[in-house]
Amino acid sequence: MIPADSLVEVEEHQARILDAVVRLTTERVDLRSAAGRTLAADVLAARDVPTFDNSAMDGFAVRFDDVAGVAPGRPVVLEVVADVPAGSSLDPALLPGQAVRIMTGAAVPSQADTVVAFEDTQEGLSDGSGRITVLAAPRERGRHVRRRGEDVAAGDLLLRAGTRLGAMQVAAALSVGHVAIEVARTPRVAILSTGDELVTDGSDLAPGQIPESNGPMLADLARSADATVVRTGSVDDDDASLLRVIDELSGTADVIVLTGGVGTGAHDVVKSALGSAGLMDFLRVRMQPGKPQGFGVTATGQLLFGLPGNPVSAAVSWEVFVRPALLALQGRSGPSHRKVRLRAATAWPSPPERRQYVPVTLDTTDPAAWQVRPASSGHSGSHLVGSLARADAWAVVPAGVDRVEAGALVEVMLTV
């Protein structure tokens, strides 16, 4: 149990969350529908790539010794004895002084060792010509020939466990002979926004009411972390209602994220209901925005996150605490975000007692010197939802800095 009045570092809270993560079970799936999944085991090449020597160009398969002496004003004429299109199993004989017309990707005849591109001949790829005149010599033996296994050899490590499968990784795994793959199960996430003031149906707002935006925002962020959203919705400020919903999600969700109700107010339902039930600890993290946080684990192993209700606070809390947990559940390797150091295009203040997360826009006008600027004139206020609409990333300013000067290097946490 963390003392309620404690102030912990970001890394301390992250570590506590990740220590509670238990990797999800694995399953075997069709590789062609595995994009977005995380590899549960290393992938080794089942075959060579290329699987046979093949032509890298449309041209003519030849013996290098026949064309090595070609020079300006000294062409060589060869007899065309066969055609080999891509996909053909033909392996025509090739005697000295002969050539085989060949297409890109077609198997190079066994007795050829070089390909002359059609543009280096007088006749090109004319089907009606029984002879070709080679005008330019290939630079070396083996020119324009892709050798068997030169990219990947059977048994080579192609992809490591923990890799996210994207379009390129799926294509590579298919190319080395796989059709099914072992991946982590997809995390199931429920997202609940709390508060009597929330309006979800777009109706006119009464005094004190606000539109509910956290749920849709976090649901999209969950999907960007390759999770499945099993439930979204809002819950009134009622302890019994919230506990009932949590109970309903037992066995349905691996992660339950609640926004709002985690502070010190008299009607903070998440703190009241889940704290009293012993399901969640509440603490203050040395960050701005996002200082109030809640976290717990149910008896059945569900991760419970209590995030602040203000949208900027909820967004940054998701990126810093929830996203890393979702990736860890899948066994994802590497950091949860790419980080770069860029110069500040303008100055802004920072609270020296806390780490600051600022929604920023990337200024890529100068390709050699990208810069960042706050997405809002209010910089990192937790209520400035308009800044999220303009933000490309988060600038991370360490504690102890009271002002970021224009031109200063800042760490930037990318969200794409």
Side-chain angles (χ1 to χ4, degrees):
M1 180 71 71
I2 298 174
D5 59 350
S6 64
L7 189 64
V8 304
E9 301 299 332
V10 170
E11 289 79 10
E12 182 181 347
H13 191 42
Q14 287 173 329
R16 180 168 180 260
I17 291 167
L18 294 178
D19 284 346
V21 169
V22 177
R23 288 190 183 182
L24 298 172
T25 56
T26 66
E27 57 187 359
R28 197 161 183 82
V29 300
D30 187 322
L31 182 54
R32 290 161 293 189
S33 60
R37 306 296 292 274
T38 301
L39 281 175
D42 292 346
V43 174
L44 306 182
R47 61 167 64 104
D48 295 333
V49 178
T51 55
F52 52 85
D53 292 354
N54 69 87
S55 178
M57 299 286 287
D58 292 337
F60 298 90
V62 301
R63 295 170 180 264
F64 179 72
D65 292 341
D66 284 343
V67 296
V70 172
R74 199 168 63 221
V76 167
V77 177
L78 303 175
E79 178 188 6
V80 180
V81 297
D83 286 276
V84 180
S88 171
S89 60
L90 293 175
D91 186 10
L94 190 70
L95 299 176
Q98 295 181 335
V100 170
R101 189 177 288 106
I102 194 168
M103 301 297 110
T104 301
V108 175
S110 300
Q111 294 169 317
D113 60 10
T114 301
V115 171
V116 175
F118 78 88
E119 56 263 34
D120 290 333
T121 70
Q122 180 174 296
E123 295 78 7
L125 284 178
S126 171
D127 289 339
S129 177
R131 293 179 181 275
I132 58 162
T133 305
V134 181
L135 304 175
R139 290 203 296 266
E140 70 278 324
R141 191 183 304 274
R143 181 69 171 164
H144 300 316
V145 176
R146 303 164 176 156
R147 293 300 180 188
R148 175 175 180 167
E150 72 174 30
D151 182 18
V152 180
D156 282 355
L157 175 64
L158 182 72
L159 297 167
R160 292 192 180 278
T163 298
R164 181 188 187 275
L165 290 169
M168 308 305 180
Q169 291 74 29
V170 167
L174 287 168
S175 297
V176 300
H178 294 278
V179 293
I181 211 83
E182 194 76 16
V183 297
R185 181 171 64 75
T186 301
R188 301 165 300 174
V189 181
I191 298 167
L192 303 173
S193 303
T194 67
D196 294 337
E197 73 277 15
L198 301 178
V199 175
T200 61
D201 60 4
S203 59
D204 292 340
L205 301 179
Q209 291 184 321
I210 59 172
E212 203 290 283
S213 61
N214 283 343
M217 174 181 70
L218 298 185
D220 192 57
L221 290 174
R223 287 185 281 267
S224 75
D226 301 313
T228 297
V229 179
V230 296
R231 181 166 175 173
T232 60
S234 60
V235 181
D236 292 338
D237 289 327
D238 176 74
D239 288 13
S241 297
L242 179 56
L243 289 171
R244 184 170 58 253
V245 172
I246 297 296
D247 185 62
E248 290 171 357
L249 290 169
S250 177
T252 301
D254 303 298
V255 176
I256 302 174
V257 181
L258 303 109
T259 64
V262 296
T264 58
H267 304 287
D268 285 331
V269 66
V270 175
K271 191 169 188 178
S272 173
L274 302 190
S276 298
L279 292 173
M280 187 178 283
D281 290 338
F282 297 88
L283 64 155
R284 297 182 301 158
V285 180
R286 198 184 301 276
M287 62 188 290
Q288 191 269 331
K291 182 169 70 171
Q293 297 287 331
F295 178 72
V297 183
T298 69
T300 56
Q302 293 168 299
L303 302 182
L304 296 174
F305 289 89
L307 310 184
N310 279 314
V312 180
S313 296
V316 73
S317 298
W318 178 281
E319 297 292 352
V320 176
F321 301 122
V322 184
R323 179 180 172 85
L326 288 176
L327 299 185
L329 283 167
Q330 301 168 72
R332 190 75 59 83
S333 59
S336 58
H337 296 88
R338 291 182 297 164
K339 294 180 180 179
V340 295
R341 291 183 66 79
L342 300 175
R343 295 198 180 278
T346 186
W348 71 81
S350 183
E353 73 281 0
R354 288 185 280 169
R355 181 181 304 176
Q356 184 189 40
Y357 290 85
V358 184
V360 292
T361 59
L362 299 178
D363 182 349
T364 59
T365 305
D366 182 354
W370 286 18
Q371 296 180 308
V372 296
R373 64 182 70 246
S376 168
S377 60
H379 307 314
S380 59
S382 61
H383 63 293
L384 298 171
V385 68
S387 64
L388 295 179
R390 296 181 289 273
D392 301 308
W394 297 89
V396 184
V397 183
V401 176
D402 61 6
R403 181 177 174 82
V404 175
E405 298 295 346
L409 282 171
V410 295
E411 182 178 86
V412 178
M413 183 173 73
L414 302 177
T415 56
V416 292

